[in-house]
Amino acid sequence: MSRPSKQQAKARQREREKRAERHRRQLADHCAHWLFEADAAWNARDMTGARRSLEKILRIRPTHQAANERLAELYFVERRFAEGLTHYDRLLQNPEWLPMTYQAAVACLSVGRFDQGRSLAADFLKATRSETSLAQLRANAKLVRDECARLAKREDRRGYEEPRDGKPAQTAREIITRHGTTQPVSLLKTAAPPAGPIADRPVPAAPAAANATVIGDRPASADLPAFAGVALPEVRLALGVDRSAFPNQITDADLTSVTNVALRVRYAELRLQRGFDELLALGTIRNVEHFHYQLDTVRRVLRDFRGRVLLADEVGLGKTIEACLTLKEYWLRGLVRKALILTPPSLVGQWMDELTSRFGLTPAAADASALRRDGQLWARQALVVASLPFARQPVHHDQLCAIDYDLVIVDEAHMLKNRSSASWQLVNDLKKRFLLLLSATPVGNNLTELYNLILLLRPGLLRTEAQFRREYGQVSALMQTTRREKLRGLLREVMVRNTRAHIDQKLPRRLAATHIVPPTPGEAEVLRNLAAVVRGRYDSASSADRWRLTMLQMQAGSGLAALRFGLRDRPNRGDPGELEAVAAIVDRLGESARSAKVEALIALVRRSAEKKIVFTRFRATLDELHGALSTAGHRVSIFHGGLPMADKEAAVAAFEADSEILLSSEVGGEGRNLQFCRTVINYDLPWNPVTIEQRVGRVHRIGQTRDVFVFNLCLAGSVEERILSILHDKINLFELVAGEIEMILGHLGDDQDFAGLVMDAWSRSGSRDDEDQAFDELSTRIIDATAAYRQTTDLDRALFSEDYEI
């Protein structure tokens, strides 16, 4: 493998690790929130609500210890023993509440799993040997153990009909009576879950194993005395109408009965379920700003395309919203109960967040670690989000193709353009009733790629590939009106493409400016010394060390506070190396030394009273800016990934209501709609153009009515200055339509990492002239990728210029 290939592979591995960690933290936050909701519902005796919250957790993490333990106890209390044991068996560790093991033993005895019941009872007795407060429970556990052992020996081919000596099996009740216990017992003393917190549960009473044991054709419970009858008083139900909101002239004669109203409401619900003109999902989604063309698209997908369609809206018009709405609509109507979503690796977290936070669905993310924990995840989970490269691996291909899916969604479906690829083969082989393909550029270099996509949706629509090639194989064929109209007529049967021109959707302008700030003398000395160390080590460094050196360079571009933290936090700190010398210079400047960009930021925010979002990647910089801006008299809100969900929401609410400035880490650029603000300040610059676009996209999106201002701060002579020169001056990043930068970078080559390209160009430059040449070459590559993307969009316009809109 060549050196550039190794570097690319290492960079990709680093990116995968970052995405995995970010995704893990997001899932952990969701699970903690739902567990809190489950405890609250349990305390309120809302068992349905508790069960629903716990099941949300298990859809994401099937082996979640606390959720499985709580669900197991809930089912045991409700005497749904088989379901309770299903969750008990998923526990990776012994339950925190010791009587849970006793309850599981009782459940095993009740459903006939005698060997397991005997083992669990023995485990409980061993674990509670020194627990004097559980003496009665231990005595009952011994009875369960002995009964399970005896019944296990009595098994024969006919089940548990009759013991070989012809005598009926002794019941647990008889055993308890023989040991001096005369009071009747039941499996659990309480028919409903305890009112106290889950962690403070009452100990259940002794079991009556015979309640579930069958002797011959007669249940052993027939030997128990009948329950005493309960006389319930007659309950009269009176329904009335609150007339306070009606005009005075309305009389009783004008009002129909409450029963009639209820019947009419039910009738309307049933009518809605029969057709797709009215969407049921709109009342169940949260924080989704949808538009008329999106709703019309969903109706057509459901009604006209029968759930098999290519959604090819131009970038930034909301294909993801349309797909999620379609999924939710099918889900509510009971037409989809098993769904698979395949995306690029970088979009798995975004889909998980959209489905969970906005559409009220609970998907499971499929990756290597998840499948190690649960080998049956593909089959067990109702809704799964997975990256296409992961799903297409041979080890997963056969498992996925054995499952009957109601709906499959493929994002960035132009990845399926090659019919011989593993990706196309996987999607083609999946058993699926409905199929949604999402792609803003369904045509790449030739029309055959479009043929391969349509073949997945409706085989035979475009006839055979040979016939299609003869008829439409060349782009020049589209210049002939007859052929072009014939192909368009066919594509209208499987494709929707909304364009900005058709829906008259024009976003306001984005006006960008770069402020190049001269560093202070001390800061300049630090930057020179650090640059020399990084350039000297980078070429021969390992993958992990390269990432650390790159991170130090990013921290230096952010400011002295971030660099100070990075130098102190590095491995092997204290070694007498070159980095220690850089750290000594930083320490000599003192904790109070600030980057020149801090003063530049304060001066910038004073120029207008507009609300502003200031983005920085590093917590140390965020804390420094919070102190500096607050001291300068500005009202500041803080938003970062370490905050609880409630604090994040409070920060956004405070920013909208009163604060002048929202100081945000990178997490603020994901999934937040902040159109009430129109000024974005990139205090430090991400080395990933997509991340820059995500930051700006929080305010420059559908719903924004004013021009958006983007200010970029960078130190003179820094790597960030070079990056801005490429993105701003060469390809006009800040004037691109949302989503276009991803398309452009996709033309650089498979799995190219922009940050790695930048670092390679910078680190190998021994002089200013070498640096100029290296970045000119990188600029040329990106300009060529932009041209390739433009060529693709020109072909799209030639074929899809009209007739596919809603």
Side-chain angles (χ1 to χ4, degrees):
M1 182 183 291
S2 65
R3 181 167 187 165
S5 298
K6 290 181 180 178
Q7 292 171 347
Q8 294 170 11
K10 292 176 181 178
R12 291 196 299 270
Q13 178 62 27
R14 291 194 297 268
E15 188 64 26
R16 285 194 293 269
E17 291 172 355
K18 288 194 299 180
R19 287 197 301 267
E21 177 60 22
R22 183 167 61 248
H23 183 228
R24 185 195 65 77
R25 289 197 300 267
Q26 290 174 345
L27 292 184
D29 287 343
H30 288 317
C31 291
H33 175 69
W34 289 326
L35 196 62
F36 175 81
E37 287 186 344
D39 284 350
W42 184 294
N43 291 333
R45 303 182 69 83
D46 177 12
M47 295 302 107
T48 301
R51 184 183 299 107
R52 187 182 300 117
S53 297
L54 295 171
E55 287 173 348
K56 287 181 182 179
I57 298 174
L58 295 181
R59 289 193 184 102
I60 294 178
R61 293 186 174 175
T63 56
H64 193 283
Q65 179 78 13
N68 275 306
E69 185 172 340
R70 284 160 167 76
L71 262 181
E73 182 184 5
L74 191 151
Y75 284 129
F76 289 156
V77 168
E78 294 181 344
R79 299 175 179 265
R80 296 164 63 177
F81 304 123
E83 293 169 271
L85 286 173
T86 297
H87 293 284
Y88 185 88
D89 292 341
R90 292 181 187 174
L91 297 181
L92 301 179
Q93 304 172 5
N94 291 329
E96 179 182 357
W97 191 54
L98 292 178
M100 173 72 70
T101 304
Y102 164 74
Q103 288 182 325
V106 172
C108 288
L109 177 58
S110 301
V111 300
R113 290 162 59 171
F114 303 129
D115 288 331
Q116 184 182 4
R118 177 180 54 190
S119 175
L120 289 173
D123 291 343
F124 172 75
L125 291 170
K126 181 178 180 181
T128 58
R129 189 175 302 161
S130 59
E131 299 287 342
T132 56
S133 60
L134 300 179
Q136 182 59 50
L137 205 60
R138 284 176 52 80
N140 295 335
K142 292 177 182 178
L143 298 179
V144 174
R145 179 195 60 190
D146 296 342
E147 182 74 353
C148 285
R150 186 182 62 78
L151 291 175
K153 294 179 181 179
R154 298 294 183 118
E155 287 189 20
D156 56 22
R157 294 179 183 176
R158 295 173 299 173
Y160 318 113
E161 295 181 357
E162 192 172 279
R164 291 187 179 89
D165 58 7
K167 298 179 180 179
Q170 284 183 305
T171 65
R173 174 180 172 80
E174 292 172 342
I175 294 175
I176 295 172
T177 303
R178 186 181 61 190
H179 283 269
T181 302
T182 58
Q183 296 298 322
V185 293
S186 61
L187 179 62
L188 289 175
K189 186 177 293 183
T190 55
I198 294 179
D200 188 23
R201 311 172 179 92
V203 176
N211 286 0
T213 305
V214 177
I215 305 175
D217 295 327
R218 184 171 59 87
S221 58
D223 295 329
L224 298 176
F227 285 104
V230 179
L232 296 176
E234 182 180 355
V235 178
R236 295 184 179 275
L237 182 62
L239 299 176
V241 177
D242 180 6
R243 297 173 48 184
S244 60
F246 295 152
N248 294 331
Q249 60 268 28
I250 297 295
T251 65
D252 290 339
D254 298 315
L255 300 178
T256 186
S257 68
V258 176
T259 303
N260 193 23
V261 171
L263 289 174
R264 287 179 178 272
V265 170
R266 182 57 181 156
Y267 173 68
E269 292 175 350
L270 292 173
R271 286 195 62 187
L272 287 177
Q273 293 179 7
R274 292 182 57 189
F276 296 111
D277 291 331
E278 296 292 336
L279 299 180
L280 306 180
L282 295 181
T284 66
I285 59 179
R286 304 184 300 274
N287 301 322
V288 178
E289 186 175 5
H290 46 73
F291 296 86
H292 68 90
Y293 69 88
Q294 294 173 335
L295 303 185
D296 290 341
T297 296
V298 173
R299 292 187 185 98
R300 282 203 64 195
V301 171
L302 301 171
R303 183 183 60 228
D304 302 335
F305 294 105
R306 306 283 183 177
R308 298 183 73 91
V309 66
L310 170 60
L311 297 176
D313 293 359
E314 286 184 337
V315 291
L317 293 187
K319 293 183 294 298
T320 303
I321 296 296
E322 294 167 356
C324 290
L325 270 174
T326 302
L327 168 61
K328 182 70 172 182
E329 196 70 25
Y330 274 140
W331 202 276
L332 289 175
R333 296 171 184 270
L335 298 176
V336 167
R337 281 294 174 262
K338 188 78 172 175
L340 174 67
I341 300 173
L342 301 173
T343 80
S346 60
L347 297 181
V348 171
Q350 178 179 322
W351 274 87
M352 292 289 294
D353 182 67
E354 290 280 336
L355 292 170
T356 304
S357 63
R358 299 189 177 192
F359 291 89
L361 297 171
T362 52
D367 54 27
S369 60
L371 284 173
R372 280 196 298 270
R373 294 190 300 269
D374 181 8
Q376 298 300 314
L377 182 144
W378 296 119
R380 192 191 309 276
Q381 297 297 330
L383 177 58
V384 176
V385 180
S387 73
L388 184 56
F390 180 75
R392 73 189 179 202
Q393 295 176 12
V395 67
H396 307 309
H397 181 280
D398 293 342
Q399 296 181 50
L400 289 169
C401 293
I403 300 172
D404 290 316
Y405 284 105
D406 297 312
L407 172 63
V408 173
I409 300 175
V410 184
D411 197 4
E412 303 296 344
H414 46 268
M415 297 184 295
L416 308 177
K417 61 187 178 181
N418 185 352
R419 200 175 353 153
S420 62
S421 67
S423 297
W424 192 94
Q425 293 294 336
L426 170 65
V427 177
N428 185 61
D429 293 343
L430 288 172
K431 300 176 184 177
K432 52 198 176 293
R433 180 183 179 189
F434 306 126
L435 175 63
L436 304 183
L437 302 181
L438 283 59
S439 176
T441 54
V443 177
N445 297 319
N446 58 67
L447 294 180
T448 303
E449 298 173 357
L450 176 63
Y451 175 87
N452 292 335
L453 291 180
I454 303 305
L455 187 63
L456 292 169
L457 291 166
R458 192 180 299 183
L461 177 66
L462 303 180
R463 301 193 291 176
T464 67
E465 183 176 358
Q467 291 170 320
F468 181 81
R469 284 178 178 274
R470 285 196 301 269
E471 191 76 16
Y472 313 106
Q474 300 298 323
V475 178
S476 58
L478 300 179
M479 300 299 105
Q480 301 178 24
T481 304
T482 304
R483 289 188 179 184
R484 182 173 66 246
E485 294 307 318
K486 182 178 179 181
L487 179 56
R488 283 178 172 171
L490 293 172
L491 293 178
R492 278 195 294 270
E493 298 184 28
V494 290
M495 177 176 163
V496 175
R497 181 175 176 85
N498 294 305
T499 63
R500 288 180 176 80
H502 178 76
I503 65 175
D504 195 26
Q505 185 266 309
K506 296 180 180 179
L507 288 175
R509 297 177 299 169
R510 285 200 297 201
L511 305 174
T514 297
H515 288 245
I516 300 176
V517 182
T520 64
E523 194 174 15
E525 180 185 5
V526 171
L527 294 177
R528 284 195 304 273
N529 283 272
L530 178 65
V533 174
V534 173
R535 280 178 165 144
R537 291 187 177 188
Y538 189 83
D539 194 47
S540 59
S542 65
S543 175
D545 287 338
R546 282 192 172 197
W547 174 244
R548 294 188 186 102
L549 293 171
T550 301
M551 183 59 66
L552 284 175
Q553 198 62 42
M554 292 179 180
Q555 290 167 326
S558 180
L560 290 175
L563 179 60
R564 185 181 295 112
F565 176 84
L567 289 168
R568 291 174 177 174
D569 193 52
R570 72 185 191 280
N572 304 319
R573 178 172 167 268
D575 61 337
E578 297 166 305
L579 284 178
E580 195 64 28
V582 176
I585 299 174
V586 175
D587 291 339
R588 189 178 71 237
L589 294 176
E591 294 283 345
S592 60
R594 299 196 306 201
S595 171
K597 291 200 300 180
V598 175
E599 301 304 327
L601 174 65
I602 294 175
L604 179 60
V605 299
R606 284 175 176 167
R607 287 167 52 179
S608 77
E610 291 274 356
K611 291 182 180 291
K612 304 168 185 70
I613 304 175
V614 180
F615 280 107
T616 176
R617 180 173 183 177
F618 302 102
R619 281 288 303 277
T621 302
L622 188 145
D623 294 338
E624 178 187 42
L625 294 181
H626 185 210
L629 290 169
S630 299
T631 301
H634 297 284
R635 299 184 302 278
V636 181
S637 294
I638 298 290
F639 189 103
H640 58 77
L643 293 174
M645 186 63 67
D647 291 347
K648 291 178 182 177
E649 299 297 336
V652 174
F655 177 49
E656 184 173 7
D658 180 62
S659 298
E660 303 171 63
I661 299 169
L662 178 66
L663 277 176
S664 177
S665 66
E666 217 64 79
V667 71
E670 301 175 357
R672 297 279 168 177
N673 299 324
L674 303 169
Q675 294 95 319
F676 58 85
C677 173
R678 64 165 178 165
T679 303
V680 173
I681 300 176
N682 291 309
Y683 182 82
D684 49 37
L685 198 70
W687 289 19
N688 183 349
V690 177
T691 305
I692 300 175
E693 171 58 42
Q694 288 174 344
R695 287 180 172 184
V696 179
R698 292 311 96 209
V699 300
H700 189 255
R701 59 192 299 117
I702 298 175
Q704 180 61 263
T705 59
R706 303 176 295 169
D707 288 344
V708 170
F709 298 96
V710 182
F711 297 97
N712 304 300
L713 298 179
C714 68
L715 292 171
S718 65
V719 181
E720 286 78 8
E721 183 182 6
R722 290 290 192 179
I723 294 174
L724 279 170
S725 175
I726 295 173
L727 299 180
H728 192 187
D729 302 335
K730 302 297 184 182
I731 64 172
N732 297 321
L733 166 68
F734 299 100
E735 297 179 12
L736 295 176
V737 174
E740 283 192 306
I741 185 60
E742 293 140 289
M743 301 293 184
I744 291 172
L745 294 180
H747 284 78
L748 280 173
D750 292 341
D751 299 319
Q752 286 285 342
D753 182 83
F754 185 79
L757 294 175
V758 168
M759 198 63 182
D760 286 344
W762 178 82
S763 64
R764 295 176 183 175
S765 304
S767 65
R768 185 71 179 183
D769 290 340
D770 291 343
E771 190 173 318
D772 290 339
Q773 181 179 354
F775 279 95
D776 284 343
E777 292 174 356
L778 179 57
S779 298
T780 301
R781 287 192 61 189
I782 295 178
I783 291 171
D784 291 343
T786 305
Y789 166 68
R790 299 299 181 200
Q791 183 179 3
T792 298
T793 56
D794 289 342
L795 181 57
D796 285 341
R797 291 190 186 97
L799 184 59
F800 307 132
S801 58
E802 57 187 19
D803 296 338
Y804 302 97
E805 299 91 347
I806 293 299

